[in-house]
Amino acid sequence: MALTDLDLIQEEERFRSQLASVASDGRRKWIYARKPKGSFTRWRTAVAGILLAFLAVAPFIKIGGDQFLLFDLINRKFVLLGFVIWPEDFYLIVVLFLAGLVSIVVFTSVLGRIWCGWLCPQTVFMEMVFRRIEWLIDGTAGEQLTRHRGPWTASRVARLVLKQSIFFAISFAIANVFLAYVVSSDALQGYVKDGPLAHLELFIALLAFTVVFYLVFARFREQACLVVCPYGRFMSALVDDNTVTVTYDAKRGEPRSKWKRDDTRTERDTGHCIDCHQCVAVCPTGIDIRNGIQLECVACTACIDACDDVMTKVNLPKGLIRYASATAVQTGNKKWLTPRVKAYGALWTVLTLLTIGLFVFRSDLDVRVLRSPGTTWTMTQHGTANFYDVQIINKGSRDLAYTLTAIEPKNATITPLGLPLSVKRGERVQGRFLVEVPSNPEHADDEHEHEHGAHEVHLVLALHSGNEIVKQVKSELLIP
């Protein structure tokens, strides 16, 4: 039997082969999620408020003159927590990405999809911003369903125009905020002052991203998590029976039955689940958590709040749906530090320490010296000279005024050729200089014969800042 042979699948098993938001014929089933309330919703609201405030403010925070977070792909400049990362430091990005990836693996193994439910921008914007605006304008889930199935009235049209206009305006704001992370907040403010016509191509791109955000939050919604995001796909490889996640206590809840006014149920005759479907009504992806961990569950905890509210009203203990592992529900064993989690944790610790070490011990100065392409040596009135290209990147927190001298050969002299003698912090300079040695240089011990009769001499350059040598660079000098 194929998984798509839905007619052959028993009703209670259909959730494994069919998305709750997609009908059997492929049509979209719109989710009218009921507004949750409870302690988890309050905590999620607080966390979302902090995250949204951070997202909006971070591009305007400066540390030492650098933006707090910047991902300038065009100029290949990245700033993390005020720490400038140049293309030459790409290894830091790789290690940081690996550390972040392993962090997700560790947290998923221990706490399930806590990222999706609490921290993911898609969930935060959808459930804490757009969905709440929808409830405010369109009313409860029941009112929305009734209105959408009813005729097109003036009230319905007015609500639709108002809601979609607000959605588009927020999407435009989100696109601007993300643009500030890419081109810098200073550049963005400059674009705003100049007006859209002065940067028409950029403005068109901004509108394109606005439309994408708008369609995601106004139409695509939970499908972004179910269809596009790969996280849910490999989640099954990361979680097991010891993973703590949003779980229905089937041992306590089954067999479920409807609640009656004179209900006298006890744990002996029937379970605590009164089959009210409130956990399904508040779910933003439309699933029934009582079927167990599912691909569509983003662990938003709305079902926990809904169930706790019902349990309180019928005077039964809370926690029928709660954060717990399948093992804890079945056996009471709350052990989560399994050998697999220990292995993930060890790898995460190594990568985290490696990342911190690479950032802490990274040199603040990057100097590269290469003999100018296509040149060998030239004869001057003082002896023999070689031309060099130099690139200096100042990754430190202060401007650097410098001088270049030659340590070896000792009688070599350096003449800058249009090379700036200072590098501002977070910037790079490029230029050329000339190294001259007299006709009888003091370098006989370091001399190596080169092909075509040339001789290669070790060249050691020192970059001074004040009386301090801040960098030494080695190269080769060609003489006849």
Side-chain angles (χ1 to χ4, degrees):
M1 180 182 66
L3 290 177
T4 52
D5 294 336
L6 297 178
D7 294 337
L8 303 179
I9 299 175
Q10 295 183 356
E11 186 65 30
E12 63 271 19
E13 294 293 325
R14 284 203 174 192
F15 72 93
R16 300 188 189 280
S17 305
Q18 184 176 345
L19 294 176
S21 57
V22 179
S24 57
D25 59 359
R27 287 183 296 106
R28 173 83 174 276
K29 292 168 64 177
W30 194 259
I31 302 296
Y32 299 93
R34 184 170 296 176
K35 186 178 182 179
K37 59 179 180 180
S39 58
F40 280 99
T41 300
R42 287 194 293 273
W43 277 110
R44 286 182 64 221
T45 303
V47 172
I50 294 172
L51 293 176
L52 291 172
F54 177 82
L55 179 70
V57 172
F60 300 94
I61 297 175
K62 299 289 182 64
I63 295 181
D66 290 311
Q67 190 166 305
F68 187 61
L69 289 173
L70 178 66
F71 307 96
D72 189 349
L73 298 174
I74 298 175
N75 296 312
R76 297 184 299 171
K77 181 180 180 181
F78 305 92
V79 183
L80 296 178
L81 310 180
F83 199 90
V84 180
I85 298 177
W86 294 86
E88 290 77 5
D89 302 322
F90 187 72
Y91 65 95
L92 292 175
I93 299 292
V94 174
V95 175
L96 196 62
F97 174 78
L98 290 176
L101 189 63
V102 175
S103 299
I104 293 177
V105 170
V106 172
F107 286 115
T108 303
S109 301
V110 178
L111 298 172
R113 297 177 71 172
I114 194 168
W115 162 262
C116 298
W118 292 73
L119 305 173
C120 177
Q122 165 69 20
T123 307
V124 170
F125 276 116
M126 186 65 245
E127 302 306 324
M128 296 299 168
V129 179
F130 289 88
R131 186 91 69 185
R132 295 193 173 207
I133 292 173
E134 190 169 67
W135 285 324
L136 187 65
I137 296 175
D138 279 346
T140 65
E143 291 172 338
Q144 293 176 32
L145 178 61
T146 302
R147 186 176 297 110
H148 291 177
R149 288 179 176 177
W152 282 96
T153 63
S155 172
R156 180 178 175 182
V157 172
R159 290 172 188 270
L160 179 66
V161 172
L162 176 62
K163 184 178 73 173
Q164 300 302 333
S165 299
I166 294 176
F167 280 5
F168 193 85
I170 295 176
S171 300
F172 185 71
I174 294 173
N176 274 274
V177 169
F178 279 103
L179 183 62
Y181 281 94
V182 176
V183 300
S184 84
S185 56
D186 292 338
L188 177 62
Q189 293 178 62
Y191 296 152
V192 173
K193 290 179 181 178
D194 294 341
L197 294 180
H199 308 278
L200 190 57
E201 294 180 352
L202 181 68
F203 185 68
I204 292 174
L206 186 67
L207 287 179
F209 279 102
T210 299
V211 171
V212 171
F213 286 128
Y214 167 76
L215 292 176
V216 166
F217 295 116
R219 297 299 304 171
F220 205 46
R221 300 195 163 196
E222 77 284 349
Q223 300 301 311
C225 305
L226 308 182
V227 179
V228 178
C229 181
Y231 184 48
R233 305 290 174 180
F234 63 75
M235 181 191 68
S236 58
L238 301 177
V239 301
D240 56 22
D241 289 345
N242 296 301
T243 300
V244 178
T245 187
V246 177
T247 304
Y248 167 65
D249 189 345
K251 190 175 180 181
R252 175 187 149 193
E254 302 297 325
R256 69 189 74 163
S257 63
K258 294 292 185 182
W259 179 262
K260 301 175 183 177
R261 184 177 298 275
D262 56 347
D263 202 312
T264 58
R265 72 180 62 195
T266 66
E267 293 184 356
R268 293 180 179 178
D269 52 24
T270 186
H272 283 187
C273 179
I274 64 172
D275 206 18
C276 62
H277 283 266
Q278 290 305 301
C279 55
V280 181
V282 296
C283 181
T285 61
I287 67 167
D288 188 342
I289 191 64
R290 295 173 297 179
N291 291 326
I293 298 178
Q294 298 159 65
L295 167 69
E296 301 103 306
C297 178
V298 295
C300 69
T301 69
C303 54
I304 296 180
D305 279 337
C307 187
D308 282 350
D309 185 45
V310 172
M311 291 293 104
T312 301
K313 289 177 180 176
V314 298
N315 199 27
L316 288 173
K318 294 181 180 179
L320 183 58
I321 301 174
R322 62 183 184 274
Y323 268 118
S325 67
T327 300
V329 168
Q330 293 298 323
T331 67
N333 184 0
K334 298 182 180 180
K335 181 182 178 181
W336 56 269
L337 195 58
T338 61
R340 187 172 68 155
V341 172
K342 291 178 182 177
Y344 289 157
L347 179 60
W348 177 82
T349 302
V350 170
L351 279 173
T352 301
L353 292 177
L354 176 63
T355 304
I356 294 173
L358 289 175
F359 272 89
V360 170
F361 295 107
R362 187 192 71 160
S363 174
D364 286 341
L365 198 62
D366 188 272
V367 182
R368 297 189 179 189
V369 174
L370 295 172
R371 189 182 297 109
S372 297
T375 65
T376 54
W377 68 83
T378 185
M379 301 306 296
T380 66
Q381 60 180 348
H382 302 295
T384 307
N386 282 199
F387 289 94
Y388 290 88
D389 294 338
V390 61
Q391 172 183 273
I392 302 173
I393 301 176
N394 182 4
K395 305 173 185 176
S397 58
R398 60 185 177 85
D399 297 346
L400 177 70
Y402 69 92
T403 56
L404 268 176
T405 62
I407 297 178
E408 295 181 18
K410 295 180 180 178
N411 53 357
T413 59
I414 294 179
T415 304
L417 302 174
L419 182 65
L421 295 180
S422 66
V423 192
K424 293 182 179 180
R425 57 178 177 74
E427 293 189 357
R428 88 173 70 201
V429 297
Q430 292 177 305
R432 302 180 72 199
F433 63 88
L434 182 72
V435 178
E436 286 182 290
V437 293
S439 301
N440 298 311
E442 301 173 1
H443 51 68
D445 294 340
D446 296 334
E447 187 175 312
H448 302 283
E449 187 170 356
H450 201 268
E451 59 179 346
H452 307 304
H455 292 75
E456 199 172 74
V457 178
H458 290 306
L459 174 66
V460 181
L461 302 171
L463 192 143
H464 300 257
S465 179
N467 296 323
E468 180 186 2
I469 296 178
V470 293
K471 193 79 174 182
Q472 286 191 15
V473 184
K474 295 181 179 179
S475 185
E476 303 296 336
L477 184 71
L478 284 182
I479 61 176

